[in-house]
Amino acid sequence: AADCSVEVDRTSLTTALLHLLSNAREATTGSGRVEISVNTAPPAAELAEAPDQRPAAWAVVRVSDTGSGMSTEARERAVEPFFTTKGQQNRSGLGLSMAFGFAQQSGGDLRIADRAGGGTEVSLYLPLAADARSPQSTQRAAPADEPVSGRVLLVEDKAELRNALARLIEAMGLKVASAEDASSALDYLQREPLPDLLLTDVVMPGELNGKELAEAAIAQYPALRVLLMSGYSDIASGDFAMLRKPFSLEELRREIRAQLPESCAA
């Protein structure tokens, strides 16, 4: 569509589209059609918290497929962090959640609907450029736009989740190195420059769990900052900060920023 310009973070938009396309590809199970369209739409009451916050118009990026579709329950819970119908060994449950978080941070929304003729249609609603410059949109986007730099060592044994988290952290402007277990993380710390933050899951296979990894790393590198992640409420964090799963995208951003050294703020 003509004049369909938005003011958003380019990397975050790219990541959101890749997640939507990945989901659409999997839904077709090897055979089908995936379509991408970009159009404008008039203001819609259901897409704004109050009348004075509605953009004059939306840019709508739609990704639709002719795949197996989604159940009502799956559609209602699809944007919840870590919710997945694919099994944790295959999917992280963060793709749609990340896309939804990006849309909200940009002053927009994400909607999921059944596609006419079968399949699923996911729509990203983003304020047109003139509205993206409004005070309301600027206020929403500020947390994601605050300058930040630095290096993060991410330790997570589930590859899909590790890759998804790495993409999200990179969208914050940080450089990410990844390891699948404590042994690999310690090897990295010994041969590479010290990262600004160690972000590690607690429950992992191997001789050391995430908390033990953090303790061993701090013993060798006292200046290293640490942030733990765990979905088990009975695991104590000790002297380390803990991010409890499931967490929202904003919680992830906030906790990472809180644990980074002050020198990482641009």
Side-chain angles (χ1 to χ4, degrees):
D3 301 324
C4 200
S5 299
V6 295
E7 291 182 358
V8 297
D9 181 79
R10 183 184 299 271
T11 301
S12 297
L13 174 59
T14 301
T15 300
L17 285 173
L18 287 174
H19 284 308
L20 299 185
L21 288 168
S22 176
N23 287 347
R25 178 194 61 193
E26 291 187 5
T28 60
T29 60
S31 176
R33 181 179 178 86
V34 176
E35 297 178 350
I36 306 173
S37 65
V38 182
N39 294 286
T40 57
E46 67 273 15
L47 293 176
E49 299 173 357
D52 60 351
Q53 295 176 1
R54 296 174 198 153
W58 299 98
V60 186
V61 182
R62 288 191 175 91
V63 177
S64 62
D65 63 71
T66 58
S68 55
M70 302 175 69
S71 67
T72 300
E73 178 188 5
R75 190 164 56 247
E76 291 175 349
R77 299 188 59 193
V79 298
E80 294 180 11
F82 301 104
F83 175 78
T84 176
T85 60
K86 302 294 185 180
Q88 289 293 344
Q89 70 276 13
N90 297 318
R91 298 286 293 169
S92 68
L94 283 176
L96 282 173
S97 178
M98 287 181 177
F100 176 62
F102 156 72
Q104 287 200 317
Q105 287 291 330
S106 303
D109 204 349
L110 180 146
R111 291 300 167 100
I112 304 174
D114 292 329
R115 182 182 184 274
T120 302
E121 180 179 272
V122 182
S123 300
L124 276 174
Y125 287 80
L126 303 171
L128 289 177
D131 299 287
R133 290 192 293 268
S134 69
Q136 174 64 26
S137 295
T138 301
Q139 182 178 3
R140 291 187 180 189
D145 293 338
E146 293 176 359
V148 66
S149 62
R151 297 169 56 251
V152 176
L153 174 57
L154 170 64
V155 189
E156 166 62 54
D157 61 292
K158 296 178 181 176
E160 182 70 23
L161 178 54
R162 183 172 65 248
N163 294 335
L165 286 172
R167 288 193 294 268
L168 181 59
I169 297 170
E170 287 172 345
M172 295 175 58
L174 297 164
K175 295 182 179 180
V176 182
S178 300
E180 62 182 2
D181 55 28
S183 176
S184 299
L186 290 174
D187 287 344
Y188 176 90
L189 291 173
Q190 291 174 359
R191 70 175 188 270
E192 299 291 342
L194 189 68
D196 298 290
L197 177 67
L198 170 64
L199 174 61
T200 178
D201 194 21
V202 175
V203 179
M204 297 186 298
E207 296 182 0
L208 300 179
N209 62 31
K211 186 178 178 182
E212 293 167 337
L213 163 63
E215 292 170 345
I218 289 295
Q220 297 183 57
Y221 312 99
L224 180 63
R225 301 290 185 93
V226 174
L227 177 60
L228 304 179
M229 301 181 293
S230 179
Y232 296 90
S233 59
D234 58 341
I235 292 180
S237 61
D239 296 330
F240 304 112
M242 174 74 82
L243 187 59
R244 298 287 182 181
K245 297 177 181 179
F247 47 76
S248 69
L249 301 180
E250 184 53 39
E251 287 173 331
L252 175 64
R253 294 188 183 102
R254 184 175 63 249
E255 289 301 320
I256 287 178
R257 290 177 184 273
Q259 298 308 317
L260 285 172
E262 293 183 2
S263 59
C264 290

